[in-house]
Amino acid sequence: MQNMAERVLAGDRRALARAITLVESSRADHRAQATLLLEDLKCAGRQAQRIGLSGTPGVGKSTFIEAFGCMLTAQGLRVAVLAVDPSSARSGGSILGDKTRMERLSRDPRAFIRPSPSQSQLGGVARRTREAIALCEAAGFDVVLIETVGVGQSETMVAEMADLFLLLLAPASGDELQGVKRGIMEMADIILVNKADGELKATATRTCADYAGALRLLRKRPQDPEGFPKALTVSALEEAGLEKAWAEMQALADWRRDHGHWGRRRAEQARHWFEAEVRDALLARLDREPVKGLLLSLAAQVERGEISTTAAAEEAQRLLDVQMHG
């Protein structure tokens, strides 16, 4: 692990890929090694700008990320992309394969793309994505883009591991605008209306104005300066509006750093993931013997009507208490 940590810190891409594979593993011995590795790398104290990106399938997330990532690498920045793919219910493998759809960016020596299967995780954010972010930061990347599948609870999940949250939307009619959830709007730092080119340019401009009006009606958040959150138009195809969007992201990030929101938010996120890790560890105990066998026995008694569900749940809790204390 010491050797791997040194190679990751030196920016070795192969070592970084192996380290991410290690932290994504659910094997007990791999989890122990991953914990040691992350502790070693934590001492480096490196930080990247974490940008979460969500949007409905078909909105052009991969096209946007490729164009945006290439623009950043052209400026001399190192960019890591963590693309969380939906998983096959049978094999557990990824379906989309974002790396194949970002051909230009994947060949860029200043970029690193890592698709990860979401497996059973709600919201399309892999359970170990936040650990993969820490590895990319340790490897010296300046910007880490976290792309989600854009379904379920992905917006909440990615907001808990990113510094900035972007919501990518397509030009839409009034009826479709009404279908955008208020919760997503309240979470977004910047809304980007993509595909603002060709015949859709006028529609995109109108859609952007509609979102800007809707954002002004929302309750002002303490972590936002005047004018944020805001809506902008971009064209990933023509690479238009990308530099303006990046300038707005930088302005927002700088303001939050200057006013103490940046560090406070990262501290809150660390606490959130500590609590989530504890919950996951406790739930994992239910799938291990002898607890698993005891629960199956109680479930069988409930099925036969020999005990009520409430009494069975209380007995299960008592058994868990016994296991934890002895």
Side-chain angles (χ1 to χ4, degrees), residues 49 163-164 225 228 247-259 262:
Q49 187 158 316
D163 301 313
L164 300 176
F228 283 89
E248 295 289 1
M249 292 178 215
Q250 291 297 90
L252 178 58
D254 290 343
W255 186 90
R256 286 181 175 173
R257 284 193 188 95
D258 293 342
H259 290 77
W262 189 275

Side-chain angles (χ1 to χ4, degrees), residues 2 13-14 36 80 84 89 111 118 148 207 230 240-241 255 266 276 281 295 302:
Q2 182 63 40
R13 296 157 67 91
R14 185 171 294 180
L36 289 173
V84 185
S118 60
T148 75
T207 302
K230 62 174 57 179
W255 186 90
R266 285 217 168 181
L295 292 179
V302 171

Side-chain angles (χ1 to χ4, degrees), residues 101-251:
R101 298 188 295 150
M102 300 182 197
E103 191 177 345
R104 185 159 57 105
L105 187 61
S106 65
R107 294 198 304 265
D108 194 316
R110 302 187 71 85
F112 175 83
I113 302 175
R114 173 67 183 224
S116 299
S118 60
Q119 298 169 345
S120 61
Q121 294 300 300
L122 290 173
V125 178
R127 179 180 176 186
R128 301 298 170 190
T129 300
R130 59 196 169 79
E131 294 178 350
I133 293 170
L135 291 171
C136 291
E137 288 185 319
F141 285 92
D142 304 297
V143 179
V144 180
L145 296 170
I146 310 116
E147 178 199 2
T148 75
V149 295
V151 292
Q153 299 297 314
S154 60
E155 290 78 19
T156 304
M157 295 283 283
V158 78
E160 288 296 340
M161 60 178 72
D163 301 313
L164 300 176
F165 173 49
L166 310 182
L167 182 61
L168 201 63
L169 298 171
S173 66
D175 290 341
E176 288 168 312
L177 283 174
Q178 292 174 10
V180 177
K181 293 180 181 177
R182 180 185 173 94
I184 300 172
M185 295 276 287
E186 289 177 328
M187 248 177 280
D189 294 310
I190 297 176
I191 290 176
L192 299 174
V193 182
N194 193 23
K195 303 185 179 180
D197 48 59
E199 295 178 357
L200 288 174
K201 189 168 185 177
T203 307
T205 303
R206 286 196 302 272
T207 302
C208 182
D210 289 338
Y211 280 119
L215 289 171
R216 282 194 291 271
L217 297 176
L218 298 179
R219 180 172 57 86
K220 184 168 173 60
R221 305 180 305 183
Q223 71 269 31
D224 292 330
E226 194 63 39
F228 283 89
K230 62 174 57 179
L232 303 167
T233 57
V234 294
S235 168
L237 192 64
E238 296 181 351
E239 300 186 6
L242 300 180
E243 290 193 4
K244 183 182 178 183
W246 176 239
E248 295 289 1
M249 292 178 215
Q250 291 297 90

